[in-house]
Amino acid sequence: MSIITRIKSAIGMEERAVLGVNGWPVPLSATSVTPATAQGVSAVYACVQAIAETTASLPLILFKRNGDDRERATDHPLYRVLHDMANPEQTALEAREYMQACVLLRGNAFARLVRGWDGQVRELWPLNPDNVQVQRTASGLVYDYTKDGVLTRLLSHEVLHLRHRLGDDGVLGVSPIAAARGVVELAIAENQHGVSTFTNGAKLLGVLKFPGKLKPEQRQAIGASWASQHAGAANAGRTAILEEGVDFQALSMSLEDASWIEARKLSVIEVCRLFRCPPLIVQSMESANYSNSVELARQFVTMTLRRHLIAWEQAIAAKCLTDAGRRTYFAEHSVEGLLRGDSVNRAQFYASAIESGWMKPSYAARLENMPLFDGIDDAAPKTSGTTTAPQPYPSKQQEAMA
């Protein structure tokens, strides 16, 4: 070991050897799992986008309590921030989608709250979680945000903080891809295996047999020369020219033999488990049919999105509203559109609600985005007692009279 190598090792600057056993090159391992590399797996990207896009596209409405009823607080400054424009540069959907993706990939999402002269939140600016350091002080949590070399310290009431799942430190959330890093690493390795296999002609061509022992530099030169002439789909089927007693032994190994395709399917299921996302949502259709597709869509709302929606609503109440404001205002997502069934089920639901007397026909028409007409609510609802039983066919009537 040279003195330079020893100095590098002492200060933690080790160099990985590029030659392995018998001088053959050692391929560097896949990069560590990061939010960027994890999204290279299509299942991870699809799960994150399905949850983030759906959460952000749902109407997030600020309501005002009015006795036992409620109404939209359209005159409140926070209503526009949550529903229309998060800040002058980003729409509410764009800001919320980015923050929800940060929650899923990094476990945490941060946004700086800008208040007006009256103390009400008027702007919400998402922050890159990689540039935020959270510290616990005697006065509470503080958030150190670094951008372009400038450090800004934000107090707890100035930051909207979303956590995926609270970690052991009680401050930061835990990311699914960090908690189950091996699942994502396996999916990345399978993806790289497929790329390498197809790059080299979609099969293992064979082995070269030499009569003597090769030096490490000879192995590298021969390997590079062989790869340049025969590797890749464009070189598939080319005739090899050998000399100096070299023998080529052909081998055959298909992707099915290695169960690569089945392993890829299993990786999709494993990734979906991390995000509690039904495989149908990310277009894994192996076990899907019409009957369970509708139910899985409902399951996506109740078992996947519900936790994230409540996290948004409670964080907004805690950071964007005062104690007095929380007694009057609250934020809530509108998920009725996702939970709607087909036309037959909706018609039966509306008919039952109108017949029971707790829904007016005009309200049902608004839910269906239909125009109203005069007197729509004037007609008395039918009751189940007035519904006459269907008459049998004439032939059946004659048989009963006989």
Side-chain angles (χ1 to χ4, degrees), residues 14-45:
E14 291 185 320
E15 293 183 353
R16 181 176 297 182
V18 296
L19 296 180
V21 179
N22 295 327
W24 287 106
V26 178
L28 297 180
S29 176
T31 57
S32 59
V33 177
T34 64
T37 58
Q39 290 187 91
V41 179
S42 62
V44 174
Y45 188 89

Short mmCIF file of all heavy atoms in Angstrom, two decimals, residues 14-45:
data_model
loop_
_atom_site.label_atom_id
_atom_site.label_comp_id
_atom_site.label_asym_id
_atom_site.label_seq_id
_atom_site.Cartn_x
_atom_site.Cartn_y
_atom_site.Cartn_z
N GLU A 14 -11.38 6.23 0.70
CA GLU A 14 -10.96 4.97 0.13
C GLU A 14 -11.34 4.90 -1.34
O GLU A 14 -12.33 5.49 -1.77
CB GLU A 14 -11.62 3.81 0.88
CG GLU A 14 -11.11 3.64 2.31
CD GLU A 14 -11.71 2.42 2.95
OE1 GLU A 14 -12.90 2.17 2.74
OE2 GLU A 14 -10.98 1.71 3.65
N GLU A 15 -10.54 4.16 -2.10
CA GLU A 15 -10.81 3.95 -3.51
C GLU A 15 -11.17 2.48 -3.72
O GLU A 15 -10.47 1.59 -3.25
CB GLU A 15 -9.59 4.31 -4.37
CG GLU A 15 -9.26 5.79 -4.35
CD GLU A 15 -8.09 6.11 -5.27
OE1 GLU A 15 -7.49 5.15 -5.79
OE2 GLU A 15 -7.79 7.28 -5.46
N ARG A 16 -12.26 2.26 -4.42
CA ARG A 16 -12.67 0.89 -4.69
C ARG A 16 -11.87 0.34 -5.86
O ARG A 16 -11.72 0.99 -6.89
CB ARG A 16 -14.17 0.84 -5.01
CG ARG A 16 -14.71 -0.56 -5.27
CD ARG A 16 -16.19 -0.55 -5.50
NE ARG A 16 -16.89 -0.10 -4.31
CZ ARG A 16 -18.21 -0.03 -4.22
NH1 ARG A 16 -18.95 -0.37 -5.26
NH2 ARG A 16 -18.77 0.40 -3.11
N ALA A 17 -11.42 -0.89 -5.72
CA ALA A 17 -10.66 -1.51 -6.79
C ALA A 17 -11.55 -1.78 -7.98
O ALA A 17 -12.72 -2.17 -7.85
CB ALA A 17 -10.03 -2.83 -6.31
N VAL A 18 -11.01 -1.61 -9.17
CA VAL A 18 -11.78 -1.83 -10.39
C VAL A 18 -11.53 -3.22 -10.96
O VAL A 18 -12.17 -3.62 -11.92
CB VAL A 18 -11.43 -0.76 -11.45
CG1 VAL A 18 -11.84 0.60 -10.96
CG2 VAL A 18 -9.94 -0.78 -11.77
N LEU A 19 -10.57 -3.98 -10.38
CA LEU A 19 -10.28 -5.34 -10.85
C LEU A 19 -10.65 -6.33 -9.76
O LEU A 19 -10.38 -6.11 -8.58
CB LEU A 19 -8.79 -5.48 -11.19
CG LEU A 19 -8.29 -4.62 -12.36
CD1 LEU A 19 -6.81 -4.88 -12.56
CD2 LEU A 19 -9.07 -4.91 -13.63
N GLY A 20 -11.28 -7.42 -10.18
CA GLY A 20 -11.68 -8.43 -9.23
C GLY A 20 -10.82 -9.66 -9.33
O GLY A 20 -9.61 -9.59 -9.59
N VAL A 21 -11.46 -10.83 -9.17
CA VAL A 21 -10.73 -12.09 -9.21
C VAL A 21 -10.18 -12.32 -10.62
O VAL A 21 -10.86 -12.12 -11.62
CB VAL A 21 -11.67 -13.25 -8.80
CG1 VAL A 21 -10.92 -14.58 -8.86
CG2 VAL A 21 -12.23 -12.99 -7.41
N ASN A 22 -8.92 -12.73 -10.67
CA ASN A 22 -8.24 -13.02 -11.94
C ASN A 22 -8.19 -11.83 -12.88
O ASN A 22 -8.02 -11.98 -14.09
CB ASN A 22 -8.91 -14.20 -12.66
CG ASN A 22 -8.77 -15.50 -11.88
OD1 ASN A 22 -7.76 -15.71 -11.20
ND2 ASN A 22 -9.77 -16.35 -11.97
N GLY A 23 -8.36 -10.64 -12.34
CA GLY A 23 -8.19 -9.45 -13.15
C GLY A 23 -9.41 -8.99 -13.91
O GLY A 23 -9.35 -8.00 -14.64
N TRP A 24 -10.57 -9.71 -13.77
CA TRP A 24 -11.76 -9.27 -14.49
C TRP A 24 -12.35 -8.03 -13.82
O TRP A 24 -12.34 -7.91 -12.60
CB TRP A 24 -12.82 -10.38 -14.52
CG TRP A 24 -12.47 -11.50 -15.44
CD1 TRP A 24 -12.03 -12.74 -15.08
CD2 TRP A 24 -12.50 -11.48 -16.86
NE1 TRP A 24 -11.79 -13.51 -16.19
CE2 TRP A 24 -12.08 -12.75 -17.30
CE3 TRP A 24 -12.84 -10.52 -17.82
CZ2 TRP A 24 -11.99 -13.08 -18.64
CZ3 TRP A 24 -12.76 -10.85 -19.15
CH2 TRP A 24 -12.34 -12.12 -19.55
N PRO A 25 -12.88 -7.09 -14.61
CA PRO A 25 -13.44 -5.87 -14.01
C PRO A 25 -14.61 -6.19 -13.10
O PRO A 25 -15.39 -7.10 -13.36
CB PRO A 25 -13.90 -5.05 -15.23
CG PRO A 25 -13.15 -5.63 -16.39
CD PRO A 25 -12.93 -7.07 -16.06
N VAL A 26 -14.72 -5.44 -12.01
CA VAL A 26 -15.83 -5.59 -11.07
C VAL A 26 -16.82 -4.46 -11.31
O VAL A 26 -16.47 -3.29 -11.14
CB VAL A 26 -15.32 -5.53 -9.60
CG1 VAL A 26 -16.50 -5.64 -8.64
CG2 VAL A 26 -14.33 -6.65 -9.35
N PRO A 27 -18.04 -4.77 -11.74
CA PRO A 27 -19.02 -3.70 -11.95
C PRO A 27 -19.40 -3.07 -10.63
O PRO A 27 -19.65 -3.76 -9.64
CB PRO A 27 -20.21 -4.43 -12.59
CG PRO A 27 -20.07 -5.85 -12.14
CD PRO A 27 -18.59 -6.11 -12.01
N LEU A 28 -19.43 -1.74 -10.60
CA LEU A 28 -19.83 -1.05 -9.40
C LEU A 28 -21.30 -1.32 -9.12
O LEU A 28 -22.12 -1.42 -10.03
CB LEU A 28 -19.60 0.46 -9.55
CG LEU A 28 -18.14 0.87 -9.74
CD1 LEU A 28 -18.03 2.38 -9.88
CD2 LEU A 28 -17.28 0.40 -8.58
N SER A 29 -21.63 -1.44 -7.85
CA SER A 29 -23.00 -1.74 -7.47
C SER A 29 -23.92 -0.61 -7.84
O SER A 29 -23.51 0.52 -8.09
CB SER A 29 -23.06 -1.99 -5.95
OG SER A 29 -24.40 -2.19 -5.54
N ALA A 30 -25.19 -0.96 -7.89
CA ALA A 30 -26.18 0.07 -8.17
C ALA A 30 -26.11 1.17 -7.11
O ALA A 30 -25.77 0.92 -5.96
CB ALA A 30 -27.59 -0.54 -8.18
N THR A 31 -26.42 2.35 -7.54
CA THR A 31 -26.37 3.47 -6.61
C THR A 31 -27.31 3.24 -5.45
O THR A 31 -28.30 2.51 -5.55
CB THR A 31 -26.77 4.77 -7.33
OG1 THR A 31 -28.07 4.60 -7.90
CG2 THR A 31 -25.77 5.10 -8.43
N SER A 32 -27.00 3.86 -4.32
CA SER A 32 -27.83 3.70 -3.14
C SER A 32 -29.22 4.24 -3.43
O SER A 32 -29.43 5.08 -4.30
CB SER A 32 -27.21 4.45 -1.96
OG SER A 32 -27.07 5.82 -2.26
N VAL A 33 -30.19 3.75 -2.66
CA VAL A 33 -31.57 4.13 -2.88
C VAL A 33 -31.79 5.56 -2.40
O VAL A 33 -31.65 5.87 -1.23
CB VAL A 33 -32.52 3.17 -2.14
CG1 VAL A 33 -33.97 3.62 -2.31
CG2 VAL A 33 -32.34 1.76 -2.66
N THR A 34 -32.10 6.42 -3.32
CA THR A 34 -32.43 7.81 -3.05
C THR A 34 -33.78 8.10 -3.70
O THR A 34 -34.27 7.30 -4.51
CB THR A 34 -31.36 8.76 -3.61
OG1 THR A 34 -31.35 8.64 -5.06
CG2 THR A 34 -29.98 8.40 -3.07
N PRO A 35 -34.40 9.22 -3.37
CA PRO A 35 -35.66 9.56 -4.05
C PRO A 35 -35.53 9.56 -5.57
O PRO A 35 -36.45 9.15 -6.27
CB PRO A 35 -35.99 10.95 -3.50
CG PRO A 35 -35.39 10.95 -2.13
CD PRO A 35 -34.12 10.16 -2.25
N ALA A 36 -34.37 9.99 -6.08
CA ALA A 36 -34.18 10.03 -7.53
C ALA A 36 -34.05 8.64 -8.12
O ALA A 36 -34.69 8.30 -9.13
CB ALA A 36 -32.96 10.88 -7.88
N THR A 37 -33.22 7.79 -7.50
CA THR A 37 -33.03 6.43 -8.03
C THR A 37 -34.27 5.58 -7.80
O THR A 37 -34.59 4.72 -8.64
CB THR A 37 -31.82 5.76 -7.37
OG1 THR A 37 -32.01 5.72 -5.93
CG2 THR A 37 -30.55 6.53 -7.67
N ALA A 38 -34.98 5.79 -6.71
CA ALA A 38 -36.19 5.00 -6.44
C ALA A 38 -37.25 5.27 -7.50
O ALA A 38 -37.98 4.35 -7.91
CB ALA A 38 -36.73 5.32 -5.06
N GLN A 39 -37.35 6.50 -7.98
CA GLN A 39 -38.34 6.82 -8.99
C GLN A 39 -37.97 6.24 -10.36
O GLN A 39 -38.79 6.27 -11.28
CB GLN A 39 -38.53 8.33 -9.10
CG GLN A 39 -39.21 8.93 -7.89
CD GLN A 39 -39.53 10.41 -8.08
OE1 GLN A 39 -40.59 10.78 -8.54
NE2 GLN A 39 -38.58 11.25 -7.70
N GLY A 40 -36.75 5.72 -10.47
CA GLY A 40 -36.40 4.99 -11.69
C GLY A 40 -37.13 3.67 -11.80
O GLY A 40 -37.21 3.09 -12.89
N VAL A 41 -37.68 3.18 -10.70
CA VAL A 41 -38.53 1.99 -10.72
C VAL A 41 -39.95 2.44 -11.05
O VAL A 41 -40.53 3.27 -10.34
CB VAL A 41 -38.49 1.27 -9.35
CG1 VAL A 41 -39.40 0.05 -9.36
CG2 VAL A 41 -37.07 0.87 -9.01
N SER A 42 -40.50 1.90 -12.10
CA SER A 42 -41.80 2.39 -12.57
C SER A 42 -42.89 2.22 -11.52
O SER A 42 -43.79 3.07 -11.42
CB SER A 42 -42.19 1.65 -13.85
OG SER A 42 -42.33 0.25 -13.61
N ALA A 43 -42.84 1.14 -10.73
CA ALA A 43 -43.87 0.93 -9.72
C ALA A 43 -43.80 2.01 -8.64
O ALA A 43 -44.84 2.49 -8.16
CB ALA A 43 -43.72 -0.46 -9.10
N VAL A 44 -42.59 2.40 -8.24
CA VAL A 44 -42.45 3.47 -7.24
C VAL A 44 -42.97 4.78 -7.79
O VAL A 44 -43.73 5.50 -7.13
CB VAL A 44 -40.96 3.61 -6.81
CG1 VAL A 44 -40.79 4.80 -5.88
CG2 VAL A 44 -40.49 2.34 -6.13
N TYR A 45 -42.56 5.10 -9.01
CA TYR A 45 -43.02 6.36 -9.62
C TYR A 45 -44.53 6.37 -9.76
O TYR A 45 -45.19 7.38 -9.48
CB TYR A 45 -42.37 6.53 -10.99
CG TYR A 45 -42.63 7.88 -11.62
CD1 TYR A 45 -41.80 8.95 -11.38
CD2 TYR A 45 -43.72 8.06 -12.47
CE1 TYR A 45 -42.04 10.19 -11.97
CE2 TYR A 45 -43.98 9.29 -13.06
CZ TYR A 45 -43.13 10.35 -12.80
OH TYR A 45 -43.39 11.56 -13.37
#
